[in-house]
Amino acid sequence: MRIKKVLSLLLMIVMVTMCFTGCSSTELNYLNLANEVSELKSFKIDGSLDLNMSKEVLEELFGESVYVKNVKVDLTGEVSVDNKYMSIVPKIVIDDVVLSDCEVLMTEKGLFVDREGLVSLVRYVAKVNTVMSDETLNLFEETLNKELGTYAYIQLTDFSDIEIEDANMITEMMEVSEIFEDFSKEILKDFDSNMVTRDGNAYVITMTPENAFSLVKNILSYLEKNIESIYDSVVNILPTFKGTVVEEMFVTESGLEDNAIDFVVEDLTTNKELYVLSLKEGLLEVNKEILDENENIEEVIDFLKGTKVTSSLEKKGNKYIEKDTAVVKVDSKEVVNIVSEIIYTTIDIKAKDYSGITYISIDDFTSLVDRIQYKVNPVEYMEIQYYNYSNSASAELARKEGTETTYFEYRIIEDRIYLPLRKICEYFGEEVYWDNEEHKAYIIRGEEKIDMTGTIINDRTFIKMRDFEKLGYTLDWKDTGTGMYIVDIHKNINK
């Protein structure tokens, strides 16, 4: 019974997904042009984006503070797929704050981002999300750059970590996608979504709340009229997926192992009448639900009236020009306005030599940022709340400048609460180190070294709550009587 449900669901998804493309001559021409862009091997990129948001409307809708009103991005770059090389440099301005250029680089070693640009972005985020003064922010940026030393890049992804199996799966999925697209074009050649038009040499897709709803109704109508022929086409194409990730999906979902596709084709052929009936019933149910919800749908369409998204693609010589605009309106109020343009110019790109670049991993960079933020703007007081049936505690942190809420793991061992040493101490601006030979952590204060023996859990040191008093902290533990416990920690020492 499970495999029948899986197959029915899969068939429905396949059919509906194919219909979203549409296969009129205009739509096919657009798809062919889009495929040309996706298959470019060596090209230059020039682009821009202008994003405007209504702070007042967004805050009214979601009840959350909105910190950004305008973002402008100009980018230039070059890509050589065969050489596994990409260098793209966005120039970002956020509400008149100009960030440093932040190169995004891809080499055979992985994906990287320029250190100066990322530090500039981190500083901006820290300014928006905290109340740190400009003086403290300057100290934060200065200290971060000093700690980074000679590292020029931050490595976002290490390609050597990607398993061969993962790479093969990606290749297979791309091959399946190509087969699937050709199949879609063939069986949907009579379907027109009416969403792609011509404007001179450009192909334009336009989406509004009104035509989105019309598209859904057209899809359902097309499926009802052609469900048997589409079903037969699906059955005929399935053998081409043998040995691909599609067959692996059947193996996973149905429990089949050998000759999964053959079994599925035989099952679909033998039980065609049953499956087609099931699909027709599903379509009737969807139509009924739409009819029942028609009034609500009309209200939504009216609520979003004026919302419009367009995307155009045009080829001029060796250039491909993509333009996108989006205006989102809610109850006649404009919420978001986006205008972007990207030009792909096909030219021969020679990869530069980046074999000698110096870099730090993104995980190490993130840890460094957190540690330095608390070093320049340390916590002076902390209130921890925990329950004895959970391993996660929340904490209100009163920093030198500003406050925040955070979460961390803790443990209860033999009725004693153990807190993570590094996490707590770095909140208070302490320097925490690990002695691999002695297999224990310690704190450095100037010339003083303070050993902190604790319990190692998942490669992290947890110490008894009262052991923080050895560092000169003041602790106060309270039982609220509601199952929640409160620990107050004050740092009242002079370093």
Side-chain angles (χ1 to χ4, degrees):
M1 187 65 184
R2 184 184 178 193
I3 189 172
K4 286 182 167 37
K5 290 183 178 180
V6 171
L7 290 172
S8 295
L9 178 61
L10 178 67
L11 282 168
M12 182 67 78
I13 292 173
V14 167
M15 293 177 180
V16 173
T17 303
M18 291 186 299
C19 291
F20 270 111
T21 304
C23 287
S24 68
S25 60
T26 303
E27 289 164 330
L28 286 174
N29 289 335
Y30 166 77
L31 286 173
N32 291 334
L33 190 56
N35 283 337
E36 284 187 39
V37 175
S38 67
E39 293 172 1
L40 293 178
K41 299 295 184 181
S42 183
F43 54 95
K44 183 178 71 169
I45 294 178
D46 295 281
S48 64
L49 178 142
D50 193 349
L51 164 66
N52 289 282
M53 297 186 290
S54 171
K55 182 176 182 294
E56 296 76 14
V57 175
L58 286 170
E59 289 180 343
E60 178 185 336
L61 285 172
F62 301 106
E64 297 286 341
S65 296
V66 178
Y67 300 103
V68 177
K69 294 181 68 175
N70 175 256
V71 178
K72 292 184 178 180
V73 180
D74 290 303
L75 61 85
T76 57
E78 53 187 24
V79 177
S80 176
V81 175
D82 292 337
N83 291 320
K84 295 181 180 178
Y85 164 72
M86 174 184 73
S87 176
I88 297 177
V89 181
K91 299 178 182 293
I92 305 173
V93 180
I94 305 177
D95 291 337
D96 299 325
V97 176
V98 181
L99 304 185
S100 297
D101 293 352
C102 190
E103 179 189 18
V104 179
L105 172 69
M106 184 181 74
T107 72
E108 289 187 345
K109 291 183 177 181
L111 188 63
F112 302 84
V113 64
D114 171 74
R115 166 254 191 90
E116 183 179 347
L118 187 56
V119 169
S120 175
L121 179 61
V122 167
R123 177 199 166 104
Y124 174 81
V125 172
K127 182 177 179 64
V128 170
N129 291 333
T130 70
V131 293
M132 283 195 285
S133 64
D134 287 340
E135 180 181 359
T136 303
L137 284 168
N138 290 339
L139 178 58
F140 162 70
E141 186 174 7
E142 178 185 335
T143 306
L144 180 55
N145 277 313
K146 182 179 179 180
E147 291 280 346
L148 285 170
T150 59
Y151 294 125
Y153 289 88
I154 314 301
Q155 187 183 52
L156 303 179
T157 304
D158 184 351
F159 289 162
S160 65
D161 289 341
I162 298 177
E163 301 290 338
I164 295 177
E165 292 81 2
D166 294 334
N168 291 339
M169 181 174 290
I170 292 172
T171 301
E172 287 181 344
M173 290 181 70
M174 292 176 66
E175 293 174 353
V176 169
S177 177
E178 291 176 4
I179 297 173
F180 183 76
E181 184 177 320
D182 292 339
F183 165 67
S184 301
K185 291 177 182 178
E186 174 61 27
I187 68 169
L188 297 172
K189 57 188 176 184
D190 297 325
F191 178 75
D192 190 344
S193 68
N194 295 313
M195 299 187 71
V196 182
T197 56
R198 288 286 298 269
D199 183 6
N201 291 323
Y203 294 91
V204 183
I205 298 177
T206 303
M207 177 74 77
T208 65
E210 294 84 358
N211 70 9
F213 183 48
S214 295
L215 175 63
V216 172
K217 292 194 292 186
N218 290 339
I219 286 173
L220 293 172
S221 175
Y222 184 86
L223 286 173
E224 287 176 338
K225 293 177 181 177
N226 301 278
I227 194 164
E228 292 202 29
S229 63
I230 294 176
Y231 183 97
D232 292 338
S233 298
V234 171
V235 174
N236 290 335
I237 198 177
L238 281 175
T240 64
F241 291 120
K242 291 184 68 172
T244 69
V245 291
V246 173
E247 186 165 37
E248 291 178 13
M249 180 187 70
F250 280 120
V251 170
T252 301
E253 293 296 329
S254 66
L256 299 172
E257 294 183 3
D258 299 327
N259 302 317
I261 291 292
D262 291 340
F263 178 86
V264 170
V265 170
E266 181 181 353
D267 185 69
L268 290 174
T269 303
T270 304
N271 298 291
K272 174 181 177 179
E273 185 176 341
L274 175 64
Y275 284 127
V276 170
L277 178 61
S278 177
L279 290 168
K280 288 181 178 179
E281 289 175 349
L283 288 171
L284 286 173
E285 185 64 28
V286 172
N287 273 314
K288 181 178 182 301
E289 289 182 6
I290 289 178
L291 187 62
D292 291 343
E293 295 295 327
N294 187 69
E295 185 176 337
N296 292 331
I297 292 172
E298 292 294 341
E299 286 183 7
V300 171
I301 290 175
D302 187 60
F303 188 62
L304 297 174
K305 192 175 184 63
T307 294
K308 185 177 182 181
V309 179
T310 62
S311 179
S312 72
L313 187 59
E314 178 181 7
K315 182 177 181 180
K316 287 185 177 181
N318 67 333
K319 296 181 184 295
Y320 295 85
I321 304 168
E322 180 180 345
K323 297 180 180 179
D324 300 288
T325 63
V327 176
V328 179
K329 290 189 175 183
V330 175
D331 201 16
S332 301
K333 299 174 183 177
E334 187 172 301
V335 179
V336 177
N337 189 310
I338 303 174
V339 178
S340 70
E341 178 177 358
I342 299 180
I343 300 175
Y344 307 90
T345 305
T346 56
I347 59 174
D348 185 30
I349 299 292
K350 297 184 183 295
K352 298 175 184 177
D353 183 11
Y354 284 92
S355 59
I357 65 172
T358 56
Y359 58 88
I360 183 175
S361 73
I362 185 62
D363 290 338
D364 289 342
F365 176 78
T366 302
S367 297
L368 184 62
V369 168
D370 289 342
R371 179 167 63 83
I372 292 174
Q373 278 204 60
Y374 287 108
K375 185 175 182 179
V376 301
N377 185 26
V379 171
E380 296 182 334
Y381 165 78
M382 177 187 304
E383 181 182 277
I384 303 171
Q385 298 180 356
Y386 72 95
Y387 296 85
N388 58 13
Y389 55 79
S390 170
N391 285 331
S392 179
S394 65
E396 296 294 326
L397 309 180
R399 299 171 69 170
K400 182 179 178 181
E401 296 177 4
T403 61
E404 68 175 276
T405 301
T406 190
Y407 300 87
F408 55 81
E409 285 188 87
Y410 72 95
R411 292 291 188 275
I412 294 178
I413 303 174
E414 296 180 352
D415 294 327
R416 293 178 181 271
I417 179 172
Y418 282 69
L419 301 176
L421 173 68
R422 181 178 295 277
K423 196 81 170 176
I424 301 296
C425 286
E426 287 186 350
Y427 283 149
F428 286 107
E430 302 277 15
E431 297 282 354
V432 185
Y433 294 90
W434 174 256
D435 188 326
N436 205 39
E437 291 185 5
E438 297 291 333
H439 208 59
K440 63 181 179 181
Y442 59 94
I443 307 294
I444 293 291
R445 289 182 182 161
E447 300 297 323
E448 183 183 11
K449 177 180 177 180
I450 307 172
D451 291 333
M452 299 298 296
T453 302
T455 299
I456 309 301
I457 302 174
N458 297 330
D459 296 326
R460 289 182 296 168
T461 301
F462 285 73
I463 66 171
K464 297 174 186 176
M465 178 181 71
R466 289 297 176 186
D467 283 351
F468 283 98
E469 292 177 339
K470 296 178 182 178
L471 297 171
Y473 298 174
T474 300
L475 281 78
D476 182 28
W477 180 85
K478 302 173 186 175
D479 181 351
T480 64
T482 63
M484 180 181 74
Y485 303 90
I486 297 176
V487 180
D488 293 334
I489 304 179
H490 290 264
K491 183 182 180 183
N492 53 2
I493 62 173
N494 294 318
K495 294 199 295 179

